[in-house]
Every structure is written in C-alpha cells, then in structure tokens.
Amino acid sequence: MDDKIRELLKTLPKIDEVLLILENDDAFKGVSRDIVVEKCRQVVEEMRKDILDSEKGGGKTPGPLSPDRAAREVQKRLLALHDYSLRRVVNATGIILHTNLGRAPLCGEALKRIIDVSEGYSNLEFNLDKGERGIRYDHVKDILCCVSGAEDAIIVNNNAAAVLLTLNALSEGKEAIVSRGELIEIGGAFRIPEVMEKSGAILREVGTTNRTHFSDYDNAVCGNTGLILKVHTSNFKVLGFTDEIGLDELVALGKKKDIPVMNDLGSGCFVQLDKYGFEREPTVQEVLKTGVDVVTFSGDKLLGGPQAGIILGKKTILDRIKKNPLNRALRIDKLTLAALEATMMHYLDLDRAVCDVRVLRSLTEPVADVEKRARRLLDLLEKLSLKDLTFSIMKEHSMAGGGSLPTQEIPTVVVTVSSRGIPTSRMERRLRKLEVPIIARIFEDQVLLDLRTITEEEFVFIEEGMKHIAGLA
Ligand SMILES: *Cc1c(COP(=O)(O)O)cnc(C)c1O
C-alpha cells in the first residue's frame, strides 16, 4: 500500500463524529438510532472502498473525506427511506396490460373492498352460517362458477402458480402430453418445459412446431400418462402451414383413455371480443363447455382484476388439487380475494363488464372517443403556452400486452410532444422522474402519449409534467 493511500485512510471520518453531526442537525427524526448507525457505517465503508479501489487504479482518487460530507450522504439516504418506492404512474404507452406497470388497474369497488375487508378482521376462513372454520376460496367460488359454468374453483397467487400446482397434483411422476407448438416462453422466464420439470411432471412432447395431429396425441398415450395439456400460445402466432388439434378432440381422447385434460388459457376472457373487432377466441365459458377437466388463467390479464391464478373445472379433479400441499404455499391473500370478488361482480352482466372493467373498456373503446379525449388534452396543453414545446395529434396503434391478443393492433390517437431545444430522450427521462411519473413511448424524435390508456382524471399529471419539462415547475 503506498503512503498516499495510507494517509488518506487515516483521514476517514469516525462513525461517532458523523453521528454527532447528524444528532445536532436533528436528522434522526422518524428513524431509530440503530438504522442511522448502520447507514453511517455503510457510508464510511464505501469511502474506504473508494480509497482502496483508487490504489488498484480503478477509480479516481476520492475528494476530501470530511465527517460533514459523510453526514450529508447519510442524511440523503435516511430521507430516501421515507420515499415510497412503489407508486402510481401514468401509463401513456398504450399497452393496456403492461406487466411492468402492474397490468390491470383495479376498479373503484375493488379498492373499497380491500379497505373494508382489511381495515379490521374478516371472515377469511370463518363460516358465518355455521360458526366454524371456513374455506377462503368459498368467497369467490360461487360467482366464478355461476359466470363460467364450472363445477368448482380454486384461486392461487398467479397463473404460473396455478399451472405449477395443477401439473404437480395431476401428473407428478407421470407423463404430461403437450404439442411442440405450445412449448412457449412468456415474459419473466416462465417456460412451459421448465415449469413442468419443477412440477415433477414428465414432459412428453408430440408433433412439430407448426403441425400436430390427433394421432400424435393418440399414439403418445401410455400406461404412465397423467395428463393431456393444451397451452394458449399467448404472445406469439404460428402462421402458414399449420395444424393444431381442437380442445374438443383432446377432451374426447381424454374421456376414451380416462386421462384428465387441462387447458392453460393464459389470459382467459369471459367476454367475446370479436364484436369489437378482435379475432374470435373462445371465452372461458365456451372452453369449459367442451368438457375439459381443468382450465387455468390469470386474474390480472383480460379479466382486469388483481394478480391471481384462477383454476376452474370438474369437482373431482379440483378436489385432488385442493389436497396438494403446494396449494398452501401458493395460496391467495385476503386483499386479493376482496378485489377479485368485486371484479367478478361486474361479470354478472357481461354487457356491463365491457364498460365497468377498465382493461375491457380500454380495449373496446371506439377510436372516435379516444380521439375526443386526445383533442381535450391537446387543448389543455396548448393553453399552457409552453414556448419550448409543440403538441399535436396523430393516429397510431395500441397493443393489448400481457401476452394477450398478440399481432392485433388497436387503432388509437396519441398526443405528440416535440421540442427544438430539449432532446427527446431528456423529455422522456424527465417525465419518468416526476412525482407521478409518466411512462411514454418515443417515436421519430417525439414523445407519444397514447390516450387509449390515459383517463381524463390523469390529465392534471400530464399538465404538471409538461410544465416541468418546460422548466416552469
Ligand atoms: C401469462 C401466462 C401465464 C402466467 O400467468 P401469470 O399470471 O403471469 O403468472 C401462464 N401461461 C400462459 C399461457 C400465459 O399467457
């Protein structure tokens, strides 16, 4: 170690000195002393590391190592502890089910139910009629079965958990037959073959990427077959020379051979969206009508509720899943149940659901209405007279996102923001750093604000954001 480094290390502030400064500045408020001491230790330790790194030729030689500097740094970190990290943002991307932005926004009723149910105690696992222990799924079982036509329902943490649990309960140590065209990966490293392996099911792949025939499934059935699995390909499509076997044929095969058939629907929608210009896809009710034994889907994709994994199907099959010990590890909590129950109530009237569930409303809103909202926002922004910024209106496309309805572009209208003085990337970054961040798209040197995912109530945040970009706020 050279002498300069040795001297520098000697000048490192003592923890007590830093603490004293903080104490005098009254910087302890709202944080216990142990945490402050630990932060002091971290900061001084990082200073020591900087000195040693500079010796190795890595970093540059550190500046003055005063206790004041350390105290300021500690204070900054203490303040940051009081900032909420998880916050609301404005989704201006036009991606309706944006997994990174929390997927489905909840309806007002769901929020009220969360507060009502969790402010005090609840009957989460208490049967009020009998005065004895109850079952948590029972709070949503009836409504789910009534809307879907299923015999029984189980709810878990998310659809990945639903798939894992179902595979484990029905096919552990046994072969699960899947088409090679359905061995998909969806976002967040969820891959069907890997989930299967973790579940203990043995993957028996059949057919090819683009074509799988009935005989492929039929020939694969053997004494050790536990399950026939069909997976919604969600985020991709195979086009051209393709063939897949319909669920009804798989159900018939399953019946003949006495093997349960499962369908992982991914998004799972109760409303037929072809009326609104989307490709026809079977609804959850239609899928269950085929006689399939069990289906799984997400609570926060097209259903528009909280994160959850919904398992619907035959009672005998679901009884096997309920008894599985993994069920306890993957179980749903009371906040989610409260929100799911409120969301499901909208589906008692499917025509109303399209208006009342926000993701369905965003998907199906006529582009003329989106345009009206865009013109109102444009008006508001132009009235701000921000000299550096130019706003205009443009036709564009939104996406469903969340692996739902891929390849289907949804016409939309965006407000574009451009500036001669401020680079687009800087505008985008400033919008992200606001108190209520605005997450936007960039296209050809303009920031795009997609009105399909922006509500009128969020206009105030956008006005504030634009003033901020222009340096007025
Ligand atoms: C999205 C999806 C999942 C995972 O659902 P999460 O709710 O995100 O856990 C599983 N399978 C398919 C086919 C999907 O599209």
Side-chain angles (χ1 to χ4, degrees):
M1 195 186 292
D2 73 26
D3 286 347
K4 199 169 121 237
I5 297 291
R6 214 185 305 269
E7 284 309 307
L8 262 175
L9 284 175
K10 272 191 207 148
T11 67
L12 271 175
K14 307 262 177 303
I15 308 253
D16 286 343
E17 288 176 296
V18 184
L19 270 176
L20 195 65
I21 295 172
L22 290 168
E23 225 153 8
N24 289 339
D25 287 354
D26 216 10
F28 277 40
K29 250 186 280 160
V31 184
S32 66
R33 191 184 163 84
D34 286 351
I35 292 176
V36 181
V37 172
E38 184 50 35
K39 288 280 168 219
C40 290
R41 228 181 241 125
Q42 270 176 18
V43 166
V44 174
E45 201 39 53
E46 281 167 30
M47 287 174 148
R48 184 193 317 280
K49 199 169 163 293
D50 284 348
I51 298 172
L52 295 174
D53 281 353
S54 75
E55 187 195 21
K56 288 186 211 129
K60 49 184 188 305
T61 316
L65 300 168
S66 66
D68 269 329
R69 198 180 124 222
R72 273 199 309 276
E73 179 60 28
V74 171
Q75 196 154 15
K76 205 171 88 194
R77 293 185 191 188
L78 292 176
L79 279 175
L81 288 176
H82 287 283
D83 283 342
Y84 285 114
S85 169
L86 184 58
R87 286 180 290 160
R88 87 171 278 172
V89 305
V90 175
N91 175 9
T93 65
I95 299 169
I96 295 163
L97 292 169
H98 199 307
T99 299
N100 302 144
L101 303 184
R103 286 197 188 153
L106 296 178
C107 60
E109 292 83 353
L111 303 178
K112 281 197 216 93
R113 297 305 303 151
I114 289 176
I115 294 172
D116 256 20
V117 163
S118 55
E119 228 174 5
Y121 296 94
S122 66
N123 61 336
L124 179 63
E125 287 190 351
F126 188 74
N127 184 322
L128 294 172
D129 289 331
K130 297 183 183 155
E132 60 189 38
R133 193 187 159 155
I135 299 164
R136 64 178 64 210
Y137 321 115
D138 282 358
H139 301 293
V140 287
K141 186 186 110 179
D142 285 349
I143 196 161
L144 274 167
C145 291
C146 164
V147 173
S148 70
E151 288 176 14
D152 203 357
I154 303 175
I155 329 296
V156 287
N157 178 58
N158 57 9
N159 189 34
V163 173
L164 177 75
L165 172 65
T166 307
L167 285 171
N168 181 266
L170 303 182
S171 198
E172 189 179 21
K174 292 188 181 169
E175 290 184 1
I177 304 175
V178 198
S179 161
R180 288 195 171 89
E182 297 171 2
L183 293 175
I184 53 157
E185 170 177 316
I186 56 166
F190 177 94
R191 293 172 149 191
I192 288 292
E194 288 170 13
V195 173
M196 276 190 137
E197 196 183 323
K198 286 285 176 203
S199 76
I202 302 160
L203 171 62
R204 177 70 195 271
E205 36 185 301
V206 295
T208 60
T209 306
N210 55 332
R211 284 172 78 87
T212 303
H213 306 287
F214 182 79
S215 57
D216 294 324
Y217 287 97
D218 199 17
N219 293 336
V221 175
C222 67
N224 196 32
T225 303
L227 187 71
I228 299 172
L229 171 63
K230 189 163 181 63
V231 184
H232 193 292
T233 51
S234 290
N235 51 8
F236 86 107
K237 253 202 159 63
V238 187
L239 299 175
F241 186 56
T242 65
D243 202 0
E244 66 173 313
I245 296 303
L247 185 63
D248 44 354
E249 284 183 77
L250 293 183
V251 169
L253 179 65
K255 280 224 175 73
K256 196 171 98 193
K257 310 267 180 172
D258 199 22
I259 296 165
V261 178
M262 163 181 176
N263 192 357
D264 171 14
L265 286 175
S267 219
C269 192
F270 286 103
V271 178
Q272 188 47 263
L273 290 172
D274 59 353
K275 276 190 260 176
Y276 303 93
F278 294 94
E279 276 168 38
R280 184 167 175 87
E281 281 218 34
T283 58
V284 175
Q285 306 89 299
E286 288 166 345
V287 169
L288 284 161
K289 271 215 187 88
T290 63
V292 67
D293 295 281
V294 54
V295 303
T296 67
F297 56 96
S298 294
D300 55 354
K301 289 188 183 171
L302 288 177
L303 187 73
Q307 180 189 304
I310 297 167
I311 307 175
L312 300 178
K314 301 259 168 73
K315 185 158 182 345
T316 48
I317 297 288
L318 266 63
D319 279 343
R320 282 168 68 188
I321 299 172
K322 279 183 195 163
K323 283 197 211 104
N324 190 287
L326 265 182
N327 199 2
R328 172 66 176 76
L330 304 173
R331 82 179 179 188
I332 189 172
D333 77 311
K334 62 184 176 189
L335 308 189
T336 315
L337 267 176
L340 183 62
E341 191 182 14
T343 307
M344 279 313 300
M345 285 207 188
H346 293 303
Y347 286 94
L348 289 172
D349 180 347
L350 292 177
D351 295 326
R352 293 270 317 274
V354 179
C355 311
D356 294 343
V357 176
R358 173 148 164 202
V359 295
L360 294 181
R361 191 169 62 235
S362 300
L363 268 176
T364 59
E365 186 179 29
V367 69
D369 292 353
V370 180
E371 176 162 0
K372 277 185 209 146
R373 201 159 54 249
R375 295 210 175 273
R376 279 197 292 274
L377 179 62
L378 181 69
D379 238 31
L380 281 176
L381 295 178
E382 281 177 341
K383 281 206 187 97
L384 295 176
S385 317
L386 303 169
K387 63 175 169 33
D388 278 340
L389 301 180
T390 320
F391 305 105
S392 82
I393 274 198
M394 190 167 89
K395 290 196 164 41
E396 252 287 327
H397 288 99
S398 313
M399 303 273 288
S404 313
L405 318 169
T407 71
Q408 299 193 54
E409 289 184 329
I410 309 161
T412 193
V413 176
V414 300
V415 167
T416 69
V417 189
S418 51
S419 167
R420 253 184 289 164
I422 314 163
T424 319
S425 58
R426 190 185 302 158
M427 285 200 276
E428 185 272 339
R429 193 169 53 243
R430 281 199 191 163
L431 288 176
R432 247 192 300 126
K433 298 284 188 179
L434 294 168
E435 199 161 307
V436 177
I438 298 167
I439 314 299
R441 293 211 294 275
I442 288 189
F443 176 72
E444 287 183 352
D445 253 11
Q446 299 180 96
V447 171
L448 305 190
L449 306 171
D450 188 330
L451 272 293
R452 193 168 279 285
T453 49
I454 300 171
T455 62
E456 200 107 20
E457 291 74 49
E458 290 171 320
F459 284 4
V460 284
F461 302 126
I462 296 177
E463 284 181 89
E464 280 313 300
M466 292 306 146
K467 284 193 227 161
H468 190 83
I469 289 188
L472 294 182

